[in-house]
Amino acid sequence: MWSTEQESATVTVDGHELDVAYYDEGNGEPVVFCHGIPTSSFLWRDVATDLADDYRVIAPDMVGYGNSAQHDGFDRSIRTQERMLSGLLDQLDVDPVTFVGHDLGGGVGLRYAVHQPDAVDRLVLSNAVCYDSWPIEAIVDLGLPSTIDSMSVDDLQGTLDGMFREGVVGEANDAFVAGMKAPWASETGRISLSRCAIATNTNHTTEVDPGEVDARTLLLWGADDEFQPIEYAERLEADISDAELVGLDEANHWVIEDRPEAYREELRAFLAAE
């Protein structure tokens, strides 16, 4: 199981000491993967293990997510995730990195690349939150006390089941759906997801200018996404000076699941290019 491959570190963010679970395998140039909401590093399991033959692959669970700290009492916004990531990478002594972010993790990557340009050599954004493209209504609803208080753990699992199945083209892989739902299958997880949802803050992407990204950038996008449409990738391509857009057809929001071989192929080609 993915969880058994993870390590753990304690990272201080905003005065809170938070446990961070992360995958760290391989040698060579560091490639950091960051997931979104409501997922975890499990999203990257096939890509990360494939790349670990040639690169050092680091894939954390954001705080509040997966096997990282889920207790109440700390911020879970992308501002916090950016600070967590910076602290973790400082502990692991990796710099610079290639940063690969999906969904909310892409928003983290945008902020990190703008605020610490020397720390990000290459940037890959996949169906990433940016500008005012988010949060989507389904996530906003999960952050409302009136919504989450009326949901049992089983109710939430049913809602997530539909979200993960609707975000792929065709029939979803049951193992993918089960792995994505697993971190939220408890009372602690139910509340943590609500806190994560309410922390989705458009200001944290609109306050950064993608035009300040210096890193060579690949926009590797599921072209059929209704949550984060490819039009936002086109806008990023226009604003980032060294950016290339690759749209993968027959791929929805969970592009890594819909087109795993194509995703790995495009990512490897980008990493290998001079």
Side-chain angles (χ1 to χ4, degrees):
M1 292 181 61
W2 178 256
S3 295
T4 63
E5 302 295 322
Q6 290 181 304
E7 302 179 44
S8 182
T10 300
V11 179
T12 302
V13 184
D14 298 335
H16 300 283
E17 292 190 352
L18 302 174
D19 291 335
V20 178
Y22 64 98
Y23 174 88
D24 185 0
E25 292 291 338
N27 299 297
E29 297 178 30
V31 182
V32 176
F33 291 89
C34 193
H35 64 88
I37 186 171
T39 62
S40 68
S41 61
F42 181 80
L43 177 74
W44 302 109
R45 66 203 182 284
D46 293 333
V47 177
T49 52
D50 178 77
L51 284 180
D53 290 340
D54 301 297
Y55 299 91
R56 181 179 180 183
V57 177
I58 301 166
D61 288 338
M62 293 190 295
V63 289
Y65 296 75
N67 291 314
S68 290
Q70 285 196 357
H71 61 270
D72 225 353
F74 62 89
D75 183 24
R76 288 152 162 82
S77 69
I78 63 172
R79 179 198 64 83
T80 291
Q81 308 299 349
E82 177 192 7
R83 293 185 178 186
M84 176 279 291
L85 183 82
S86 180
L88 176 64
L89 296 183
D90 282 347
Q91 285 192 35
L92 299 179
D93 194 26
V94 286
D95 183 14
V97 303
T98 294
F99 189 104
V100 185
H102 176 263
D103 185 80
L104 192 147
V108 175
L110 271 172
R111 290 178 60 90
Y112 192 56
V114 167
H115 294 151
Q116 299 194 49
D118 292 339
V120 181
D121 185 41
R122 290 169 292 203
L123 179 65
V124 182
L125 302 176
S126 294
N127 301 72
V129 303
C130 53
Y131 307 108
D132 58 355
S133 73
W134 70 306
I136 65 170
E137 185 176 357
I139 296 299
V140 172
D141 285 347
L142 287 176
L144 298 175
S146 59
T147 299
I148 203 68
D149 287 349
S150 67
M151 276 188 174
S152 67
V153 172
D154 287 343
D155 291 336
L156 178 59
Q157 289 285 293
T159 296
L160 293 174
D161 191 282
M163 190 177 298
F164 291 124
R165 293 186 187 278
E166 291 167 11
V168 297
V169 172
E171 187 173 348
N173 180 288
D174 288 340
F176 162 69
V177 175
M180 289 289 88
K181 295 194 305 179
W184 315 116
S186 67
E187 282 297 321
T188 298
R190 183 180 68 89
I191 297 300
S192 188
L193 180 54
S194 179
R195 301 293 189 255
C196 292
I198 202 66
T200 53
N201 189 335
T202 310
N203 292 334
H204 291 162
T205 47
T206 58
E207 73 176 358
V208 295
D209 179 4
E212 296 180 9
V213 172
D214 291 331
R216 188 162 63 87
T217 301
L218 172 65
L219 306 165
L220 187 52
W221 219 269
D224 300 327
D225 191 358
E226 296 181 1
F227 297 149
Q228 299 298 324
I230 198 167
E231 287 77 13
Y232 284 101
E234 293 168 349
R235 186 174 169 185
L236 286 169
E237 184 182 32
D239 285 346
I240 298 173
S241 61
D242 189 4
E244 175 189 5
L245 170 58
V246 175
L248 296 180
D249 294 329
E250 299 183 5
N252 202 326
H253 188 66
W254 313 118
V255 55
I256 301 105
E257 282 297 308
D258 277 328
R259 299 290 306 278
E261 292 183 5
Y263 192 95
R264 289 193 296 266
E265 181 180 331
E266 293 289 350
L267 180 57
R268 278 191 172 275
F270 178 70
L271 292 172
E274 295 295 333

